[in-house]
Amino acid sequence: MTDLDLRLVRYFTTVASHLHYGRAAAELHIAQPSLSRQISRLEAEVGARLLDRTRQGTRLTEAGEAFLPHAHALLRSSEQAAAVARAAAQPTRITVGYTAGVIVTPAVRNLRHKHPDADVRTLHLEWNEPREALLDRRVDAAITRLPLRTDDLRVTILYDEPKMLLVPVGHRLAGKESVTLDDIDGEPIPRFPDPEFDAYWRIDPRPGGRPAPGGPPVETIEDKLEYIAAGQAVAIVPAALHAAGIRPDLTAIPLHGVEPGHVVVATRAADRSRLVAAFRTSARDCLSGQGVTRSPAAEAGSR
């Protein structure tokens, strides 16, 4: 067996991310000569040269390319193992994640009332973080919206949420009582990098199979709002975001003829924590009435 020093593995992944010993040493807060020696130690442990230093800079060898994804997996696994141990040693702690426009306060307040010994924390998550945050154990439960990959997760629909069309205040549709997809047939809609999320919120394909219009690529909600405010796009959004008052130069119109969105509570499928189970109950009891309509499907389950 080869016993790898995880500290050295982390040094290697840092150098690999920068392909520059000086910048990697600065990030790790160690001297560059020391970093070089530590990488040499790791190469001796692995039994292969992982990095080459040339006049053009630092590059991964073939062995380094092959080792890198496994190095990342080793570090993730060690972090998860430590998190599991901490959770077992501190069974009275839970962190609840939530995404934009979702209110978790009633469920969190209820959990604290019923479990006064528990350390209940909350953490805001970006639109694309809930699944990763759950599997990395940054959070133990998440209140978020579909779509969400549910393998290794247990996902329960809490309520339905109407969809609205977000436009700049000077848009031709601003002020209408409602709109349909036909009204925005040629309107560009910002595109997100996640294919499932992008297709869901652009309603692509449209009824009849026609593709949804393209739009500017974005990675954050803030970028999307800026494109809309500038008159370069419109967007389909959950009603709660409009109710929260996104920004004064935008307005939202009810979008008819489309399926509502779904707000869910998600946890790790294998998690048997009593606090996680208690929070799921609190979420169902305290949050299910927030939607305009109650979803007939109560359980999406672990898939």
Side-chain angles (χ1 to χ4, degrees), residues 24-224:
E27 179 179 326
L28 294 166
H29 303 291
I30 62 175
Q32 186 172 333
S34 176
L35 177 59
S36 297
R37 289 193 297 272
Q38 304 305 327
I39 295 298
S40 295
R41 282 185 54 198
L42 176 64
E43 291 173 331
E45 290 182 1
V46 172
R49 189 167 183 81
L50 303 175
L51 293 159
D52 277 338
R53 300 175 77 172
T54 68
R55 291 182 178 180
Q56 288 72 37
T58 301
R59 66 176 183 85
L60 290 165
T61 65
E62 286 190 18
E65 292 276 7
F67 181 65
L68 183 59
H70 297 283
H72 284 302
L74 278 171
L75 295 174
R76 283 195 302 270
S77 179
S78 68
E79 290 167 359
Q80 290 170 2
V84 169
R86 287 193 299 268
Q90 300 173 331
T92 58
R93 175 179 294 177
I94 182 173
T95 300
V96 177
Y98 62 97
T99 51
V102 175
I103 297 175
V104 298
T105 310
V108 170
R109 184 189 299 123
N110 179 266
L111 185 67
R112 286 173 176 154
H113 174 73
K114 292 186 175 181
H115 297 269
D117 60 322
D119 179 7
V120 183
R121 305 181 181 189
T122 56
L123 179 68
H124 177 263
L125 301 172
E126 295 298 330
W127 64 271
N128 57 346
E129 287 189 301
R131 176 180 170 80
E132 180 182 348
L134 282 164
L135 297 182
D136 285 350
R137 297 181 177 271
R138 282 182 286 144
V139 301
D140 304 294
I143 306 296
T144 186
R145 296 179 176 88
L146 297 181
L148 177 71
R149 279 183 53 203
T150 58
D151 47 307
D152 297 322
L153 300 181
R154 183 183 177 196
V155 179
T156 302
I157 296 174
L158 297 175
Y159 59 89
D160 294 347
E161 186 179 42
K163 293 174 182 173
M164 303 190 78
L165 180 70
L166 193 65
V167 300
V169 291
H171 193 272
R172 61 183 177 84
L173 297 174
K176 291 181 69 71
E177 289 188 5
S178 65
V179 292
T180 67
L181 289 177
D182 289 338
D183 293 317
I184 58 169
D185 194 45
E187 295 277 359
I189 297 180
R191 305 200 62 160
F192 278 87
D194 181 272
E196 185 178 6
F197 185 93
D198 179 68
Y200 182 85
W201 284 106
R202 292 172 62 246
I203 310 184
D204 186 24
R206 296 289 169 83
R210 68 188 189 278
V218 297
E219 294 192 7
T220 68
I221 300 298
E222 290 74 17
D223 288 339
K224 177 174 75 170

Side-chain angles (χ1 to χ4, degrees), residues 14-15 17-29 32 35:
T14 304
V15 176
S17 69
H18 291 283
L19 291 179
H20 191 283
Y21 273 80
R23 288 193 290 269
E27 179 179 326
L28 294 166
H29 303 291
Q32 186 172 333
L35 177 59

